[in-house]
Amino acid sequence: MYREIEDGILSNFGSVNSLPQKLASLIKQQKTVWELLDKNDDALSDVKIKEFIFDDIKINLQFNPHRIISTSAKVDKKTIENRKCFLCKENIPAEQSAVKFNDEFAFLCNPFPIINNHFTIPHVDHIPQQIANYFESFLDIVFSLKDNFTILYNGPKCGASAPDHLHFQCVKSDVLPIESEMELLLSKYSKNYLNEAEIKSYFVSDPLRNFIFIQSDNKTKIIEEFERVYKSLQKVFENNEEPLLNVLSFYRNDCWNVIVYPRAKHRPDYYFLEGDDQILISPASIDLCGVLVCPRENDFNRVTSKQIQTIFREVSCRTDNLSVLLNTV
Ligand SMILES: [Zn+2]
């Protein structure tokens, strides 16, 4: 297990009666002992943001130079094998303490936050990033955090900077624009393809993205539908590995809300261009939900609304591929 922080220490920084309270206290405690986190967390208050509107969708472009490591991370097999895993308990910084979730997961403060209160939730063991066997744990974490935090998963080829070590992330609820836009997106851009008393599932195709939205108060039903989507994607892409995807979930009004973003590719073509043509943007779950990270100031100043739309469309799974998926219901 990671270095677990005692409630006695945490209680000096706030209440410790619930998991969300413990996490709020953990951030405060970690900021007092960990200079890097303190500096990067404070820097978020004057981070530059540009707002882009695509009909009903808000994208906050964020200039965040600290994210250069993550945005440009090499995640090929060789690079990963030759580096020390930064999520393994024996390699984490001396200052980093954890709040345990169960015997398998722990919450750690992310020292390179995109949003204040940004946590990484690694598995205690060094096992590959793959959600299939841990989707129930993912939903259990969502349930424990209720409407305080939103949980995210980046597939090993879709933005996870540690594709060899299973981990989720969480950020404060209602910070990601998509959460407040969801109702409108469902009314304007969705097709309801599963409508039972205990579960509803939609295919959403908005001006930027194509995704699946599942809503239910029944954990078993959500798991069944997620597995069906997962297997259908494997079939569509004729690949038995994990389909390219990002997942997000938040808990509201006694229901789990799950967004599954099937992806066409990891990085857009702009990422691989050279010189002035290159735009270093590599979308993962937080970006797809409306906080688009841009680690270079030059890109931040010049990227256009049209280019952002191209980037989103290019990394999103094509509509025809998803229609095939829906026909397999
Ligand atoms: Zn590891």
Side-chain angles (χ1 to χ4, degrees):
M1 190 28 97
Y2 292 90
R3 253 185 315 276
E4 196 185 348
I5 193 158
E6 292 166 22
D7 280 358
I9 296 174
L10 271 189
S11 61
N12 295 322
F13 297 87
S15 305
V16 292
N17 299 322
S18 67
L19 183 58
Q21 286 177 347
K22 281 187 184 185
L23 295 183
S25 303
L26 179 66
I27 284 273
K28 288 183 193 152
Q29 186 275 340
Q30 290 281 271
K31 277 170 67 80
T32 64
V33 297
W34 193 3
E35 205 185 330
L36 176 70
L37 171 71
D38 189 42
K39 197 169 70 124
N40 288 346
D41 184 68
D42 287 348
L44 286 175
S45 54
D46 43 34
V47 78
K48 282 194 206 166
I49 290 174
K50 259 199 233 175
E51 192 177 289
F52 289 82
I53 302 288
F54 301 86
D55 294 336
D56 307 293
I57 300 158
K58 187 165 86 174
I59 298 292
N60 289 326
L61 183 71
Q62 179 192 95
F63 168 50
N64 188 338
H66 305 297
R67 296 295 301 181
I68 189 78
I69 307 162
S70 181
T71 301
S72 58
K74 281 191 175 173
V75 287
D76 59 282
K77 211 169 163 226
K78 201 164 170 219
T79 307
I80 294 298
E81 278 171 5
N82 289 331
R83 64 104 170 92
K84 269 191 183 176
C85 174
F86 60 89
L87 289 182
C88 274
K89 42 193 173 297
E90 53 274 23
N91 301 333
I92 65 169
E95 301 92 334
Q96 197 167 31
S97 297
V99 164
K100 202 172 138 178
F101 175 69
N102 51 21
D103 290 338
E104 289 194 302
F105 289 93
F107 287 84
L108 301 173
C109 295
N110 183 336
F112 300 102
I114 296 175
I115 295 163
N116 293 115
N117 298 290
H118 187 171
F119 296 89
T120 310
I121 314 167
H123 191 278
V124 292
D125 297 323
H126 185 81
I127 55 172
Q129 180 80 334
Q130 203 179 40
I131 198 169
N133 295 330
Y134 291 92
F135 187 62
E136 183 168 4
S137 305
F138 178 82
L139 295 180
D140 288 341
I141 295 171
V142 173
F143 182 76
S144 303
L145 296 172
K146 294 289 190 323
D147 54 2
N148 296 281
F149 287 92
T150 294
I151 317 297
L152 306 121
Y153 169 80
N154 290 326
K157 291 176 185 164
C158 292
S161 37
D164 52 344
H165 192 131
L166 177 63
H167 66 285
F168 306 125
Q169 298 180 53
C170 80
V171 296
K172 268 223 159 253
S173 282
D174 291 322
V175 176
L176 299 173
I178 200 165
E179 291 178 44
S180 51
E181 290 163 359
M182 209 53 237
E183 220 167 294
L184 184 66
L185 296 181
L186 288 182
S187 69
K188 275 187 81 171
Y189 303 105
S190 82
K191 179 183 166 188
N192 175 215
Y193 70 89
L194 177 63
N195 192 4
E196 292 175 3
E198 286 191 295
I199 184 162
K200 307 213 177 323
S201 199
Y202 304 80
F203 167 46
V204 184
S205 182
D206 70 29
L208 293 179
R209 311 155 289 208
N210 296 323
F211 61 92
I212 304 290
F213 179 73
I214 312 167
Q215 189 175 54
S216 177
D217 60 358
N218 181 322
K219 194 170 77 172
T220 310
K221 290 266 178 193
I222 296 234
I223 292 170
E224 277 170 16
E225 175 57 7
F226 179 76
E227 282 174 358
R228 197 196 61 79
V229 169
Y230 190 97
K231 285 182 183 144
S232 304
L233 287 168
Q234 285 179 321
K235 218 182 262 180
V236 167
F237 293 105
E238 296 175 352
N239 192 332
N240 286 329
E241 287 180 14
E242 175 162 304
L244 299 182
L245 48 78
N246 301 97
V247 186
L248 162 141
S249 181
F250 52 95
Y251 199 81
R252 293 284 185 293
N253 307 320
D254 300 323
C255 278
W256 280 273
N257 295 272
V258 177
I259 294 176
V260 182
Y261 285 109
R263 298 277 297 260
K265 58 161 95 163
H266 174 202
R267 285 171 167 153
D269 289 349
Y270 277 118
Y271 183 95
F272 300 100
L273 296 178
E274 288 180 359
D276 286 348
D277 295 328
Q278 188 191 38
I279 298 171
L280 216 58
I281 285 179
S282 181
S285 49
I286 288 182
D287 309 76
L288 293 170
C289 293
V291 177
L292 184 59
V293 174
C294 187
R296 292 197 311 201
E297 194 163 19
N298 185 27
D299 295 332
F300 176 81
N301 290 335
R302 71 201 170 102
V303 71
T304 63
S305 171
K306 183 116 196 301
Q307 286 170 321
I308 290 175
Q309 192 163 28
T310 303
I311 288 170
F312 271 76
R313 299 302 317 173
E314 206 183 322
V315 300
S316 290
C317 192
R318 290 196 337 245
T319 320
D320 57 332
N321 281 330
L322 289 180
S323 316
V324 170
L325 183 161
L326 302 186
N327 292 337
T328 61
V329 176

